[in-house]
Amino acid sequence: MKGRKHMHALEKILAKAAKKDSVRAGEIVNCEVDMAGVNDLYLQTIRSFYEMGGEKVFAPQKTIVFLDHYAPASTIIQADNQKQFRAFCRDQGIDKLMDINQGVCHQIMADKGFSKPGQLIVITDSHTTTNGTFGAFGTGVGATELAVILRTGSLWFRVPEVIRINLEGELKPGVYAKDVILYIIGKMGADYAVYKAVEFTGSLLNQLSMSERMALCNMTTEMGAKTSYIQPDEITFSYLKDKAVDYEVFETDADYQYSAELTFDVTDLGTQIAAPHSVDNVFPLSEFEGKPVDQAFIGTCTGGRVQDLAAAAYILKGRRINPSTRLLVVPASSQVLLESIEKGYIQTLVDAGATLVTPGCAACLGTHEGMIAEGEVCITSSNRNFPGRMGHSKAEIFLASPASVAAAALNGHITDPARYLVEREDHDE
């Protein structure tokens, strides 16, 4: 198309949404949003909508409400919050109400085919970058910005510069996408990609499932990224085959100039861990091997998919977790839960001593369902380890892959999962 040269696929998505031939990094554009979502942390969105003079939502068919952070409500205030959201959906004709039985917003977007290539997706959650896995422009905003979208259908954006991260090599047993992204964040810093986009490319992607790719894109938020991107390929299209139709795939022009290009060969990468109290405080897991843990947490939008539960079940099958450690398992969605039940993973994990928690955010945000006490240590497959994130401000949170979390639960202390994977493989042979 005329004028659409030297552009990244993400820029083309914004150009389409802004009804322009082209856009460039740094430009402010007003874009029509393809899908707008609000979660139950942001009741202020509804208040702001009415304060702005809103009467009817501009596009109820493009609006989703997620009751995922307080699923189910654990206080009267949370219950009333959700009651008001349900009433708002009824009054406004919003039929996409994802109630407390559905799971985390980002996983629901994937499960139900709401995440599609070429779309502009805006949700009141910073980890909306996860949608970049599908070749979409996904980004998080606050309550007021989402209220503007509800009232007008549009919002302004500054076109971000794009950083290209090229991933090469093959992962060793016990090393996962979570280890890769933690390593990158540790090397580049939590502020490296502030208001920029991060695109993942390279041969490693051919070896990564959509679940693993989602872990990569989800965690770009912890680099400060505005959005993320993976060019849709056969793995993407295979996943979308029975979930989504009517989408447009954009491609980056060959002469597009990235603001930065990085290459990481992961062939020799070992398991990684982010130590308290910053996501970029990353070390080889071996440096903390043997540290006692009180709670092990597998779940959330970062590490609660079927493949994650499968990895944990593989390690724990026929074994029992250490009596000094509690293991919480939180499927990312009801679909993940059902599939994991069907495949036997839930049975295996419960038999091993795990506590099964309602699909949703749970203890990840430190409001209910598994908070940690003063002085306790938690190893988690989630995405943040700030002080007070999962409970008491004087607790310690370590971020790792679901396999690493399972290995820690098994032993009662931080443990490299590779040994158990090798043992299983040898036994299987």
Side-chain angles (χ1 to χ4, degrees):
M1 183 181 295
K2 183 178 179 181
R4 298 174 77 110
K5 297 295 183 183
H6 317 296
M7 290 176 65
H8 192 277
L10 288 168
E11 294 180 330
K12 294 180 181 181
I13 293 172
L14 290 183
K16 176 189 175 185
K19 295 180 172 54
K20 299 183 67 172
D21 284 337
S22 65
V23 299
R24 66 184 184 280
E27 182 178 355
I28 304 295
V29 290
N30 196 56
C31 297
E32 182 177 320
V33 175
D34 292 300
M35 194 66 73
V38 56
N39 65 47
D40 50 357
L41 282 180
Y42 288 88
L43 185 62
Q44 183 59 44
T45 300
I46 296 176
R47 295 172 180 152
S48 295
F49 172 77
Y50 289 121
E51 288 169 359
M52 293 174 183
E55 296 181 358
K56 298 297 293 182
V57 169
F58 183 84
Q61 74 279 8
K62 296 181 178 181
T63 304
I64 311 178
V65 172
F66 304 97
L67 307 187
D68 58 353
H69 283 63
Y70 304 139
S74 58
T75 67
I76 294 173
I77 292 175
Q78 291 173 6
D80 186 68
N81 174 305
Q82 294 178 348
K83 178 183 176 181
Q84 292 185 60
F85 269 115
R86 294 184 186 106
F88 183 74
C89 288
R90 288 194 300 270
D91 294 344
Q92 294 293 333
I94 298 170
D95 61 6
K96 295 185 181 67
L97 169 62
M98 304 298 138
D99 217 309
I100 61 170
N101 64 324
Q102 292 294 307
V104 184
C105 58
H106 311 304
Q107 188 63 38
I108 293 172
M109 292 292 292
D111 289 348
K112 296 185 179 296
F114 296 152
S115 293
K116 298 190 285 189
Q119 289 201 326
L120 175 56
I121 298 170
V122 185
I123 303 174
T124 54
D125 191 289
S126 61
H127 294 99
T128 306
T129 55
T130 309
N131 291 279
T133 311
F134 301 89
F137 190 116
T139 193
V141 297
T144 304
E145 289 85 357
L146 206 288
V148 171
I149 297 173
L150 293 183
R151 192 170 187 275
T152 68
S154 301
L155 188 68
W156 69 268
F157 298 88
R158 177 161 60 88
V159 181
E161 298 177 356
V162 185
I163 299 167
R164 180 180 182 180
I165 298 181
N166 186 49
L167 301 175
E168 301 292 349
E170 296 185 7
L171 296 176
K172 296 189 296 187
V175 181
Y176 298 85
K178 181 66 171 291
D179 298 292
V180 173
I181 191 61
L182 284 177
Y183 179 78
I184 293 171
I185 294 170
K187 288 296 182 184
M188 307 312 300
D191 60 352
Y192 175 70
V194 171
Y195 213 102
K196 294 183 180 180
V198 173
E199 179 184 9
F200 294 104
T201 63
S203 62
L204 178 66
L205 292 181
N206 298 327
Q207 306 162 44
L208 299 184
S209 65
M210 292 298 285
S211 175
E212 289 285 83
R213 293 177 178 195
M214 288 175 74
L216 289 178
C217 289
N218 177 282
M219 293 284 291
T220 59
T221 300
E222 310 314 325
M223 302 168 68
K226 182 67 175 176
T227 191
S228 69
Y229 189 78
I230 293 176
Q231 182 64 37
D233 57 12
E234 289 308 312
I235 294 174
T236 317
F237 301 137
S238 176
Y239 181 91
L240 291 172
K241 184 177 181 181
D242 299 321
K243 295 179 180 292
V245 295
D246 188 28
Y247 53 79
E248 184 175 3
V249 177
F250 294 97
E251 294 189 4
T252 300
D253 295 325
D255 57 358
Y256 175 77
Q257 295 296 309
Y258 290 89
S259 66
E261 296 193 48
L262 310 173
T263 296
F264 294 91
D265 189 327
V266 301
T267 303
D268 296 323
L269 185 68
T271 49
Q272 304 290 301
I273 195 164
H277 295 283
S278 175
V279 183
D280 58 1
N281 190 30
V282 178
F283 302 87
L285 183 142
S286 58
E287 294 196 21
F288 288 90
E289 185 124 16
K291 183 177 179 63
V293 298
D294 300 287
Q295 178 164 294
F297 183 101
I298 298 175
T300 80
C301 58
T302 312
R305 284 172 279 280
V306 174
Q307 186 174 344
D308 302 319
L309 302 188
Y314 190 72
I315 291 171
L316 293 173
K317 187 174 181 62
R319 294 171 167 143
R320 291 284 299 180
I321 64 172
N322 191 284
S324 66
T325 302
R326 55 193 184 270
L327 171 61
L328 272 60
V329 173
V330 190
S333 70
S334 58
Q335 182 171 314
V336 169
L337 172 60
L338 290 172
E339 186 175 340
S340 297
I341 290 174
E342 182 182 351
K343 292 181 180 295
Y345 304 145
I346 298 298
Q347 182 73 49
T348 295
L349 293 169
V350 172
D351 285 346
T355 299
L356 183 63
V357 178
T358 307
C361 298
C364 176
L365 72 157
T367 58
H368 66 154
E369 294 191 308
M371 291 186 288
I372 49 180
E374 180 178 2
E376 287 196 312
V377 175
C378 178
I379 182 169
T380 172
S381 67
S382 56
N383 45 42
R384 286 179 175 162
N385 62 347
F386 311 144
R389 172 68 180 181
M390 298 180 72
H392 202 284
S393 61
K394 292 184 180 179
E396 293 184 307
I397 303 170
F398 290 82
L399 307 178
S401 73
S404 294
V405 175
L410 177 62
N411 290 290
H413 56 75
I414 293 174
T415 306
D416 192 325
R419 72 177 74 166
Y420 299 104
L421 298 172
V422 172
E423 285 177 9
R424 292 292 191 191
E425 289 170 1
D426 290 343
H427 179 73
D428 292 343
E429 291 175 1

